Amino acid sequence: MTPAAHPFGDPQTVEVAPDASDPAVVHVTWKVGAADDLTLLGIHLGVLPEDRVMLDGAIEYDDGDAALVQQAPEVHAYLLEHVEVAAGGRDCPGRVEASGDLIADGADLVFTCPQPAAVATLTVSTLTDLHPAYRTLATGPDGQHQVYGADAPTHDWALGATTTTAVSSTTTSGTGSSAALQIGGVLGAVLLVALAGTLVARPRRRATPTTPNP
């Protein structure tokens, strides 16, 4: 049985930053929302046994799951597949430079572009393959913010030292993102903080959720 996703608790986050010494390098730090999301990811990747999934779709969690999953090479491969950077129309190869506590510290991904990147296109699709309601709160240089989701997986980030405003959001071809799903680019930092507080305050669900209404 497919593991039950429940994306209505603490949101996952990413932080985008240019390298201090090499303008062709982009750093992305990814943090998962909560330990039970790591359990779901571990089952999905085969790191944890499928018998954790109950007949009703609920998941049996263990306190040691996070420590087991976050060091699995399958998770590193997953992150490099679902976090992608491009600049100047060319892909930037990435690697997982450091990965510890994926909740508190996150995984540091380093992308090296073919040329200096004044603007980097970052695509984030982590956990949306488990459930499309997952969201990622993202921050970047000079106060830039964005909310990633299944319908808004791609965004352009200005990395220049003199940048003071966020560049326009860019979605993948054929994606019709609604204004509601791109609130990060529209409402700004104040409402994003309020959104994060609301998500954290909601209780975790242990059974299969119904798909949210659009």
Side-chain angles (χ1 to χ4, degrees):
M1 177 177 292
T2 301
H6 43 84
F8 306 112
D10 302 352
Q12 56 185 329
T13 64
V14 297
E15 181 180 354
V16 187
D19 189 84
S21 58
D22 189 344
V25 173
V26 181
H27 296 264
V28 178
T29 300
W30 176 83
K31 296 181 182 180
V32 73
D36 48 9
D37 289 326
L38 284 179
T39 298
L40 291 166
L41 182 59
I43 296 172
H44 173 70
L45 296 176
V47 177
L48 297 175
E50 291 186 0
D51 60 10
R52 292 291 194 87
V53 184
M54 311 301 286
L55 292 178
D56 62 356
I59 302 296
E60 180 183 352
Y61 301 95
D62 186 275
D63 290 340
D65 288 349
L68 179 63
V69 172
Q70 63 195 10
Q71 292 301 324
E74 293 88 345
V75 175
H76 293 180
Y78 175 86
L79 289 176
L80 292 175
E81 180 181 352
H82 290 273
V83 179
E84 302 172 274
V85 171
R90 301 175 64 184
D91 293 338
C92 304
R95 69 182 188 276
V96 178
E97 185 169 85
S99 178
D101 185 331
L102 291 179
I103 300 173
D105 304 317
D108 294 324
L109 285 70
V110 178
F111 297 87
T112 302
C113 300
Q115 58 189 23
V119 176
T121 300
L122 174 64
T123 300
V124 179
S125 57
T126 48
L127 302 185
T128 54
D129 52 341
L130 303 184
H131 196 290
Y134 273 106
R135 295 291 182 268
T136 302
L137 302 185
T139 58
D142 303 308
Q144 297 175 75
H145 289 78
Q146 174 69 3
V147 176
Y148 284 94
D151 292 334
T154 301
H155 185 72
D156 287 344
W157 296 87
L159 303 179
T162 59
T163 301
T164 57
T165 58
V167 295
S168 300
S169 175
T170 304
T171 57
T172 54
S173 178
T175 300
S177 300
S178 67
L181 291 180
Q182 298 194 52
I183 56 177
V186 178
L187 299 184
V190 175
L191 291 186
L192 278 173
V193 171
L195 171 62
T198 301
L199 289 171
V200 170
R202 296 180 181 175
R204 305 296 297 177
R205 297 190 179 183
R206 300 297 180 183
T208 306
T210 56
T211 302
N213 292 325

